[in-house]
Amino acid sequence: MLDSIIVGFGIAGLNYAEQLRKQNKAFCVIAPKDKSASHVAAGIINPTVLKRYNPVWKSEEFLYHALHSYNEIQKSLSDQILYSKPIYRILNSVLEQNEWSVAASKPLLEKYLTADLISSEALTHIQSPFGYGEVHCSARIATEKLIETYLKETIKERLIIDEIDYSELYFQENSVSFKDIKAKKIVFCEGFHSVNNPLFNYLPLVGSKGEMLFIESNELSEEVIIKGPIFIVPLGKNQFWVGATFNRTDKTSKTSEEGKNWLIKKLQQNLLADYKIIDHKAQVRATVVDRRPLLGRHPKHQNAYILNGLGTRGVMMSPLLSQWLYEYIEGNSKLPPEVDIKRFENHYFRN
Ligand SMILES: Cc1cc2nc3c(=O)[nH]c(=O)nc-3n(C[C@H](O)[C@H](O)[C@H](O)COP(=O)(O)OP(=O)(O)OC[C@H]3O[C@@H](n4cnc5c(N)ncnc54)[C@H](O)[C@@H]3O)c2cc1C
């Protein structure tokens, strides 16, 4: 019998698999070949909320754990997946310059934001007459490359390309079976698809669709991530990720002309370079009503667990969240109440 079945292999499934791999646990991953939100994410690790000049919840813990964890994973892979990249926030007025300076002197933000402004001349082909504020400890994870390389090089023999049909799950007191696979536990890392999971669909997963463009330009700098009305993120080889939209009504992963036109309009507000659009994609972020992740044990099935609700920060948060969940399952340590699905237990018993 296996120790665990992991359902889904986006960034959550990957980071949970890494916990089990490090502890020499016997596990398998069940996931279809489809691309998930993790494949198309910009992969930015940013401990700040630049719209409101706040640090992310537990930013320091999540940031340093993520950087360490991806660096360790990278050492075991044949390719680079972690890129340190500063974020240059476009400043549109003297007022925004002043707001930046105030934010950069706040105790919780001073370790992330550079107090001295960057001159508007620093980047060619970007229009930013009032210069830039710099987030200096940010990074980018090449998520698609990470997922594909990790699958191929680290857990190839443990991957089962399939989709869980929930009616084929069979729970016993100390085990769970799916087809001919039997394990002590099952951990669902299904992203927004979890709304179809009868075990966990009582949780208030809202979902927010994001569309993005992939562009090519040989005039833009590959050294920095630019944050204006949208992000422009260098991917290497003169390609850039541009996004994203936020749509809370359409929960499909279909691209739209409306989304594309909105992105082009925002891109052209500050971009002076020639560019070519090479792709346009969409996926749904798994967002939660209270904007906190969803971790924990099913109220009835004691061997069914969830790691979800990663919202817009899954890349940065999932390494530490995976560790918290692992220690909760194996070590009987408590989950922080902010992320524990116990906070929604009344939704389960109401149904
Ligand atoms: C446009 C956009 C930009 C983003 N940019 C960033 C960013 O820069 N930084 C950041 O941190 N986050 C970003 N995010 C958010 C990030 O993508 C998510 O937080 C993260 O990818 C969620 O990962 P996940 O593993 O929980 O879910 P997913 O990536 O959705 O993976 C779910 C997995 O479960 C599988 N699955 C589902 N149902 C089943 C089933 N029944 N059986 C088997 N397998 C199943 C799926 O096939 C998939 O493999 C962005 C998201 C979007 C949409």
Side-chain angles (χ1 to χ4, degrees), residues 6-14 29-46 70 139-141 143 147 160 162-166 178 188-194 196-197 208-212 231 233 241-246 281-286 307-318:
I6 299 176
V7 182
F9 204 70
I11 204 74
L14 183 146
V29 174
I30 300 178
K33 269 197 164 158
D34 317 349
K35 305 279 180 200
S36 66
S38 302
H39 284 84
V40 301
I44 301 168
I45 293 183
N46 170 17
Y70 289 119
R140 183 180 81 84
I141 299 297
T143 49
I147 293 169
I160 297 160
D162 200 351
E163 197 161 332
I164 291 278
D165 173 347
Y166 306 101
F178 175 68
F188 291 95
C189 305
E190 300 171 292
F192 185 66
H193 307 270
S194 181
N196 302 316
N197 182 336
S208 160
K209 174 175 167 178
E211 296 190 44
M212 75 233 69
F231 280 98
V233 185
W241 185 104
V242 173
T245 64
F246 279 83
K281 291 184 179 167
Q283 278 291 343
V284 184
R285 307 168 184 89
L307 169 49
N308 207 321
L310 304 183
T312 57
R313 307 276 173 168
V315 178
M316 181 169 89
M317 295 177 108
S318 55

Side-chain angles (χ1 to χ4, degrees), residues 13 30 98 106 149 187 261 283:
I30 300 178
N98 290 340
K106 283 190 193 169
T149 315
V187 181
N261 291 336
Q283 278 291 343

